[in-house]
Amino acid sequence: MNVWYNFAPMNEAQKYILQDLSLAIVDDHALILEGFKSLMQGCGACNVDTFIRSADLISVLPNKRFDVYVIDIGMPDIDGFELIDAIRSFYADARIIVNTIHEEVWLLRRMLDKGVNAIMFKSTDFMQMVDAITAVMNGEQYFCPGFKKKLANSKLRIEHPSEREIEILKALAGGHTSKEIAAMLFISENTVETHRKRLFTKLGARNMAELMVKAVARGYINASEITGDK
């Protein structure tokens, strides 16, 4: 399996981002952890912490926040999906990159539903991981070519909220009720409810707290905009 052996020169923006980046890498294979850490340090990233168990990362979360979390989904102690929830319970706007060997469509769908910032296959070359880290640090999502191909073939879709739905999302983040939002935007309360339901569907959220977490993760709102909910 080809794991990150192809290199291309980094641009100045990438070098600048990596030099001050704090990175957490979670994988249950020591060789991958050490190899990844060595490659990142070779690119100028000095603040790289590795964790061979999900629980090891969770134990430091109350006292330490990382700029980017690169996690494996198939962890033996606490699976990656639970780890995503644990990270987001401490830091709702955490930048999370999934690095996985799993390419099953149902798992990819779950990753998307979790609102992760990037999805990488372990067969992807290393410099694309650098591209992914740069992208998420700039507030963007990133998907490796293999994932994009799977996305196209399986017709997995990422539905983005409309401009009106973003307005309503921001108002919900501010703690406004549907009635208040209707008055603010000069639309009917039924219309607000319709947009609200679409937001839950598009972001794959089951409740308001999860809607806010996913909205922050995908960059639709800032964590600072969340002042309450009703």
Side-chain angles (χ1 to χ4, degrees):
M1 182 173 64
N2 173 33
V3 184
W4 304 330
Y5 291 126
N6 299 320
F7 286 85
M10 290 190 299
N11 58 45
E12 291 303 314
Q14 288 175 321
K15 292 177 182 177
Y16 179 78
I17 287 173
L18 291 179
Q19 67 182 0
D20 294 321
L21 181 79
S22 62
L23 182 68
I25 309 169
V26 186
D27 198 288
D28 62 326
H29 294 92
L31 186 61
I32 289 179
L33 280 179
E34 291 309 309
F36 195 169
K37 182 175 182 177
S38 178
L39 288 167
M40 289 304 305
Q41 289 175 334
C43 290
C46 299
N47 304 313
V48 181
D49 288 7
T50 59
F51 302 89
I52 204 162
R53 300 189 313 150
S54 296
D56 294 336
L57 172 61
I58 292 172
S59 69
V60 306
L61 288 176
N63 302 310
K64 186 169 184 179
R65 176 173 185 157
F66 296 88
D67 293 318
V68 178
Y69 302 80
V70 180
I71 69 170
D72 187 3
I73 286 296
M75 296 297 291
D77 61 332
I78 300 171
D79 77 49
F81 295 106
E82 292 181 54
L83 179 56
I84 290 169
D85 291 339
I87 294 170
R88 292 260 166 82
S89 71
F90 284 96
Y91 311 110
D93 58 347
R95 303 177 185 93
I96 298 174
I97 298 175
V98 171
N99 185 40
T100 182
I101 61 170
H102 297 290
E103 301 183 16
E104 298 91 334
V105 170
W106 69 274
L107 278 173
L108 300 180
R109 177 73 263 177
R110 281 193 70 190
M111 294 176 205
L112 287 175
D113 287 346
K114 283 293 182 183
V116 298
N117 303 84
I119 298 174
M120 306 293 292
F121 293 159
K122 288 187 178 179
S123 56
T124 305
D125 71 76
F126 176 70
M127 285 310 298
Q128 286 184 8
M129 178 61 79
V130 173
D131 290 340
I133 291 171
T134 305
V136 302
M137 286 297 293
N138 287 325
E140 304 167 5
Q141 280 189 309
Y142 187 97
F143 302 116
C144 70
F147 177 84
K148 289 180 180 178
K149 185 175 180 180
K150 286 278 184 180
L151 193 74
N153 291 342
S154 64
K155 296 183 179 179
L156 286 170
R157 294 182 301 117
I158 301 173
E159 290 192 83
H160 295 287
S162 66
E163 290 185 16
R164 175 62 86 186
E165 286 164 351
I166 293 293
E167 286 183 293
I168 290 171
L169 185 60
K170 289 178 180 291
L172 290 170
H176 296 286
T177 65
S178 294
K179 184 176 182 179
E180 290 170 340
I181 295 170
M184 290 162 55
L185 300 179
F186 303 103
I187 56 179
S188 72
E189 193 170 342
N190 284 339
T191 300
V192 173
E193 283 300 316
T194 297
H195 285 305
R196 183 179 174 130
K197 289 176 183 177
R198 287 176 182 167
L199 284 166
F200 275 86
T201 299
K202 288 182 178 181
L203 273 68
R206 293 164 294 183
N207 53 51
M208 184 60 68
E210 192 172 353
L211 182 70
M212 292 298 110
V213 167
K214 291 187 174 184
V216 170
R218 298 187 187 184
Y220 299 136
I221 61 174
N222 296 317
S224 60
E225 295 179 270
I226 304 174
T227 60
D229 56 81
K230 296 181 181 181

